[in-house]
Amino acid sequence: MIHIKSASEIAKMRLACALTAQCMNIVETMIKPGVTTREIDKKIEDFLKVNGATPSFKGYNGYPASICASINEQVVHGIPSSRKLLSGDIIGIDLGAYLDGFHGDMARTYAVGDVLDDVQLLIDTAKDSFDAGLSNMVVGARVGDVSASIDAVIRSRGFTAVRSLCGHGIGRALHEEPEVPNFGTKGRGIRLRSGMILAVEPMVNQGTYDVYSLQDGWTIVTADGKLSAHYENTVLITDNGPQILTIA
Ligand code: MF3
Ligand code: CO
């Protein structure tokens, strides 16, 4: 069942998503060589607590941390650790605030210090493919229109869209129907309606789209060890077009 949000639910989603975006602004200031992903995790957990919220991910299917921190060939769901960021790394941070019964969800990929131009292009492609998807998030369009437009940008840059992980509906649950794949066929899938809230999250690989899970049971890595970038926002569909809710 796809849940269409009421005005009061949308109001609460706005607050959860705004707090999520405030978290990401804090993360952005912390991305420097020498910082550990555990330090970032702690800062966000504390910030959420002070603001009357909890991390959406902690305890989700047993996930052990407040944020996901995925470095280089790690695609998503990297567990924060004592690993220090190094100049030349790229790091995907995925986080969500659970506030007053509703979840926000967003992700960004940052370059640490200086990275090569083709690495910056990978990071930019994650955002650009999201933006292409966003432009199709209008009432009456289909999920396949969103998915196909994301993949078209990724392919045009010579990269690949991860296929085994998807965007999703979001609200009282972190993951609701429908799934929003990052590849697909225009004209297929359910129609978008006003009041739907979707987390759209392209995961873009330099090489093969194949991924696998590490022994820790969480970290997803590229099969060929090449880099991956992730970009995500929570988006409300309205009669006047899409609205990104994960904005501070
Ligand atoms: N943004 C991620 C997703 O939508 C959430 C991380 S999953 C968790 O899948 F288990 F780590 F919480
Ligand atoms: Co998500």
Side-chain angles (χ1 to χ4, degrees):
M1 224 263 313
I2 294 172
H3 189 241
I4 302 297
K5 272 73 179 174
S6 69
S8 74
E9 289 172 323
I10 290 169
K12 289 178 181 178
M13 281 298 288
R14 285 188 193 286
L15 295 175
C17 289
L19 187 59
T20 300
Q22 282 183 267
C23 289
M24 195 61 81
N25 287 345
I26 293 171
V27 167
E28 191 166 354
T29 66
M30 294 183 76
I31 301 294
K32 290 190 181 80
V35 73
T36 70
T37 52
R38 190 174 285 135
E39 285 163 352
I40 301 172
D41 186 78
K42 174 83 166 73
K43 175 80 84 178
I44 296 310
E45 181 155 12
D46 292 348
F47 179 76
L48 287 169
K49 196 171 185 185
V50 164
N51 284 278
T54 55
S56 291
F57 302 170
K58 198 166 202 171
Y60 182 86
N61 292 337
Y63 186 72
S66 299
I67 67 170
C68 299
S70 308
I71 300 174
N72 297 336
E73 78 286 354
Q74 299 177 350
V75 179
V76 287
H77 304 172
I79 301 171
S81 74
S82 58
R83 161 74 150 81
K84 285 189 164 98
L85 298 183
L86 302 171
S87 184
D89 284 338
I90 64 170
I91 175 150
I93 300 285
D94 191 349
L95 57 85
Y98 183 59
L99 179 68
D100 197 13
F102 290 85
H103 293 279
D105 191 5
M106 81 186 293
R108 294 289 184 268
T109 298
Y110 300 105
V112 183
D114 293 322
V115 298
L116 300 171
D117 285 352
D118 60 319
V119 175
Q120 189 60 51
L121 181 66
L122 179 74
I123 293 172
D124 294 344
T125 299
K127 178 184 190 299
D128 294 345
S129 64
F130 169 87
D131 287 342
L134 182 72
S135 69
N136 282 285
M137 293 180 73
V138 296
V139 170
R142 293 180 183 272
V143 166
D145 303 343
V146 178
S147 301
S149 64
I150 290 170
D151 192 35
V153 169
I154 294 170
R155 284 169 184 267
S156 76
R157 308 273 173 89
F159 300 129
T160 64
V162 173
R163 294 180 167 233
S164 56
L165 297 154
C166 291
H168 49 91
I170 180 169
R172 290 185 191 277
L174 178 59
H175 293 146
E176 299 184 353
E177 288 180 47
E179 288 193 338
V180 184
N182 296 306
F183 70 102
T185 306
K186 206 173 166 209
R188 299 273 182 87
I190 61 118
R191 277 190 198 280
L192 302 183
R193 292 167 56 196
S194 186
M196 283 184 187
I197 301 185
L198 304 175
V200 177
E201 49 180 318
M203 288 152 265
V204 183
N205 289 359
Q206 259 183 338
T208 177
Y209 60 66
D210 285 326
V211 300
Y212 67 93
S213 178
L214 294 186
Q215 291 291 344
D216 64 17
W218 282 103
T219 313
I220 307 290
V221 297
T222 58
D224 57 12
K226 293 188 180 178
L227 302 176
S228 185
H230 185 203
Y231 187 95
E232 176 179 26
N233 284 305
T234 300
V235 179
L236 168 68
I237 311 287
T238 81
D239 289 322
N240 300 316
Q243 284 181 17
I244 295 176
L245 299 184
T246 34
I247 284 177

